[in-house]
Amino acid sequence: MANEIIGGDVVLAADGTPLKASLNKAMRKNRIRALLLVTPLFLFIVFSFLIPIVEMTFRSVDNWQVGTLMPKTTTALAGWDGKALPDEPVFAALIQDLQAGAKAREIGKVGTRLNYEKSGLRGMITRSGKKSLKVKEGPYKEKILKMHKKWKDLETWTVIKRNTAPYTMGYYLNAVDMKYDKSGEIVMRDENRRIYGKLFLRTFAISMAITLICVMLAYPIAYLLATLPLRYSNLLMIFVLLPFWTSLLVRTTAWIVMLQSQGVLNDLFVFFGLVSDDNRLQLIYNLTGTIVAMTHILLPFMVLPLYSVMKTISPSYMCAALSLGANPMVAFIRVYMPQTLSGIVAGSILVFILSIGYYITPALVGGTDGTLISNQIAYHMQKSLNWGLAGALGALLLSSVLALYLIYNKIVGVDNMRFG
Amino acid sequence: MSELQEPLVRFIEVQKSYDGEILVVKNLNLDVARGEFLTMLGPSGSGKTTCLMMLAGFEPATHGEITLEGNPINNVAPHKRGIGMVFQNYALFPHMTVFENLAFPLKVRRMGRSDIEAKVKRVLDMVQLHDFAERRPSQLSGGQQQRVAVARALVFEPQLVLMDEPLGALDKQLREQMQYEIKHIHESLGVTVVYVTHDQSEALTMSNRVAVFNDGIIQQLATPDVLYEKPDNAFCAQFIGENNKLIGTVKDKSGNNCIVDIPGSGIVHALDVNAGNIGGATSLSLRPERVEIDPSEGKYPNVFEGKVKELIYLGDHIRTRVNVCGHDDFIVKVPNISDHASLVKGHPVKVGWRADDCRALDVYQEP
């Protein structure tokens, strides 16, 4: 018994309106309500998360300084072939830009930008800016060449010309330890000046190590949590979650107290004669410190997904495996562990992503060889103020995490992931 | 069970307590014959599953001995007992295909690949699932999963298979179908099955013998027909099938018969099974289908006046609730034959029954 009326190809509702339209009308209220419920969080995320990320990522390619602050030179250089020093018209344009920039006190920004590409150019620009104010008439080429010896260097002009473009790859090249050479070709930096590639590798290696240690520590705990009777497992769960409820800084400083050379652990070692007093172990302000403290902090993120997966595995699987003749070890490895795989992967991906961008703990206990890429990003954000480079490093970090996530999604499927 | 043949499984004075205060299984003595289909039937908490778990080795017995083929197995680890088991929720390994599930017990026994394939194929044919070998358990219906679970418990050819309420998760129709399938598999393989259920019709359908459990004790161990027709005590009478219960006092005993006084209603002639002493209380058990409406004069020693309270039409019979002897819930099953008595709700009616069909038993107090 169908109640709908068939009008042509369109199914009609009882009152003759198309059924689809009538359904839409009926659902509209629900849809609006759902939208309203989501809006506050959506706006918050847009303003606090998406816009800043887009902003910083844009800075990593943005190259406004030369084009905006030296507009005349930019136009004059457009036709330059780069084979020899430019001719008088370019210098005439340059002197006007320098004068305008110096008066507006903006020329330093050009200097800073150019200095990222080739050191020494900041000094050249600022000094020339000051001197340019005294220049009244041409020929300008001669006078400018006298202002600073670098103006005579062809490479200076190559750098300036390259950066008249509104967008640059320079920050990204820098972030992967590459640069433009004298002729403008992209080459690797000198061996001793490669920083970020090593740092990225170290970040990945440390994160991997922390993830592995977390799996090994969390697996037995999660197993215990999932199999103990509820009243015991609740208590144990509180111990697992306790670090969550304690400030990150408190936990990190607690590890400093524990691990430092005059700290609790070393005192115990000395007391039991494991190490001599003047041979105390260096456990903090290095790689060891970073790994120990971060493992401790990130452990709950491994325990919870594992626990939630293990909780759903009925004990009858193990019983079944035993009754089928598998000894307990084989039963565990062949029957129990494969079923926890989604938990292991979920926890690993969580811990790995968290540790790859970890900042505060390595900053406090990492010393020199225990710092991660995020510490470099923070350095460029706060100290060197090279936000373009910070943006490029951040974007690389973000995209590597996204890539990992995609790979993971391909292999395991996000639907199979379960957290806490 | 012939005296020559040793029972396959023996429970000898087995006791089990989880907390050291309450005995879940009290002094169990049970022999399971080779090739037998024995069902442990009882309400939840009666100790039947505990007995099964002790036999499988997942729970240690607190006291007593369990033997398998004459050898005590109390200290044998579950994986060395070689007992097949079908679990309540099948416990098929979700990360393995049907084939891998069935091959698992053979692989852990380090069998050769061709042997494994032959054996798996054989059990798949037996449960008619040969087309499903490469599927995951989650891609199978409940009935198919059930069959795989049975096949997995049988594939390594154990002498003894335990089944723990294996049909509990299936709907009624499928459950009945599976009951017959399991029964047929049992008959064709000759394997010994110990089956646990709380469903009495399942127990009656499938078993050679049924052990009725209550309160940690086997109340009665008998074949299905004996269990239904000749219950030893009030619990079995009530638990198995439908039962009319009349409480009274024993007035007199003579031979196998006794006379019971139902307060305010009169005298009932009954079969003395377990009635206790004269003057004591007894509970009379009477199957609804053994009661006749409007019997001819003098046919039965027990005839009472009643009043029809409710009529439920069930096709093959009419379930009639009658107020008799002060009991409002006296059920009579009136067969739907062409000349059955026409009954009207609220009208008076005469009911009568034989003395032998009315069993005088102990009084069972519901806990």
Side-chain angles (χ1 to χ4, degrees), chain A residues 58 68 129 201 238 318 343 360 391 414:
Chain A
F58 179 66
T68 312
L201 279 183
I238 289 174
M318 277 299 274
I360 185 79
V414 178

Side-chain angles (χ1 to χ4, degrees), chain A residues 317 319 322-324 326 334, chain B residues 58 79 83 87 92 94-95 109:
Chain A
Y317 289 120
C319 286
L322 293 177
S323 82
L324 293 171
R334 298 269 303 276
Chain B
F58 301 129
H79 66 278
I83 300 175
F87 289 82
L92 298 177
H95 58 291
R109 286 178 171 74

Side-chain angles (χ1 to χ4, degrees), chain A residues 328-389:
Chain A
M329 198 68 190
V330 171
F332 191 81
I333 293 169
R334 298 269 303 276
V335 172
Y336 193 83
M337 291 232 306
Q339 295 189 60
T340 60
L341 201 64
S342 67
I344 295 177
V345 178
S348 300
I349 215 100
L350 199 59
V351 168
F352 189 78
I353 288 178
L354 281 173
S355 51
I356 219 173
Y358 227 72
Y359 162 68
I360 185 79
T361 302
L364 287 175
V365 303
T368 47
D369 63 347
T371 50
L372 306 180
I373 195 72
S374 52
N375 301 102
Q376 258 323 299
I377 297 176
Y379 169 77
H380 285 301
M381 287 294 292
Q382 294 162 350
K383 300 268 168 56
S384 83
L385 301 182
N386 188 351
W387 285 21
L389 182 56

